[in-house]
Amino acid sequence: MELEGRVALVTGASRGIGAAAAVELARRGAQVVLIARTEGGLAETDDAIQALGRPPATLLPLDLLDGEQVDAVGPSIFQRFRRLDILVGNAGALGTLTPVPHITPKDWAEVVGVNMSAAWRLIRSCAPPLLAADAGRAVFVTSRIVSTPAAYWGAYGATKAGLEHLILSWAEETRTSRLRINLYDPGVVATKLRRAAMPGEDQATLRTPADVAPMLADLCGPAETRHGEVVRHPKR
Ligand SMILES: NC(=O)c1ccc[n+]([C@@H]2O[C@H](COP(=O)([O-])OP(=O)(O)OC[C@H]3O[C@@H](n4cnc5c(N)ncnc54)[C@H](OP(=O)(O)O)[C@@H]3O)[C@@H](O)[C@H]2O)c1
């Protein structure tokens, strides 16, 4: 198994794409650490991992808007494993789809907080254990909305654009290191976030999280050479 013995941290692992990515990484041999707020969802992801005959995941139920808790993640992983091989920054918040002048301060704070600030703070916390790995890999989940701005998606789209810039800047800074850092755009996937955005859509016609997880997991392998790229799932 290509990820045997590797330690992987996945955010937004209580459901959707993050849960499927965590299961796929565990299936490939990784020891996974799971972050989200919903303990029941994290436990369900862990059940799916153990059903594959893999060791139990480490569950870190926390709110990514709590910066001090995020600060503690990297040091606690280093203390336990002495390194972090894989960081998957998948957690995302949609907010409310609405015209830009109508975005509320509460929604703005949540969407910016989860999609951008938490990514920066997680990188700050996890860079030392990632650099301690022999082949550290980081993948952050972005969206096609960045290149195709759409009415009412302003807050979400702006934060994904900011996320991409942040990650591509980090990739430039680490080009000569052992790290390989990329973004992954899964396209349209049947999840709770997508249902909130498109309530009338028949999700049975969409790709599932399990359909996209292998391509995301491919970016996490030690043999991966891509760096500073936005890797897109092919359109159907
Ligand atoms: N679905 C799509 O079509 C699509 C397309 C392009 C990009 N994406 C991106 O894919 C990623 C995963 O989204 P999804 O579609 O799988 O949505 P989802 O099923 O709603 O999952 C979102 C995940 O993020 C976690 N999360 C949200 N706020 C959090 C917070 N404050 N603290 C900790 N965890 C938090 C949620 O966990 P808790 O609620 O348990 O905390 C959940 O595990 C997101 O970055 C999204 O922008 C999705």
Side-chain angles (χ1 to χ4, degrees), residues 11-19 35-39 41-42 62-66 89-94 110 114-115 141-145 156 160 163 184-195 206 209:
T11 71
S14 60
R15 61 174 184 266
I17 296 166
I35 286 180
R37 292 165 301 183
T38 312
E39 290 192 42
L42 293 177
L62 62 84
D63 188 339
L64 288 165
L65 295 175
D66 183 338
N90 160 81
L94 177 70
E110 187 197 3
V114 175
N115 297 353
V141 180
T142 185
S143 164
R144 220 151 278 183
I145 195 76
Y156 179 79
K160 289 297 187 184
L163 174 73
Y184 174 60
D185 165 13
V188 174
V189 185
T191 66
K192 187 176 174 187
L193 184 148
R194 179 70 191 181
R195 196 175 311 116
L206 306 180

Side-chain angles (χ1 to χ4, degrees), residues 159-171:
T159 56
K160 289 297 187 184
L163 174 73
E164 287 195 9
H165 199 102
L166 183 76
I167 300 310
L168 296 178
S169 301
W170 184 33

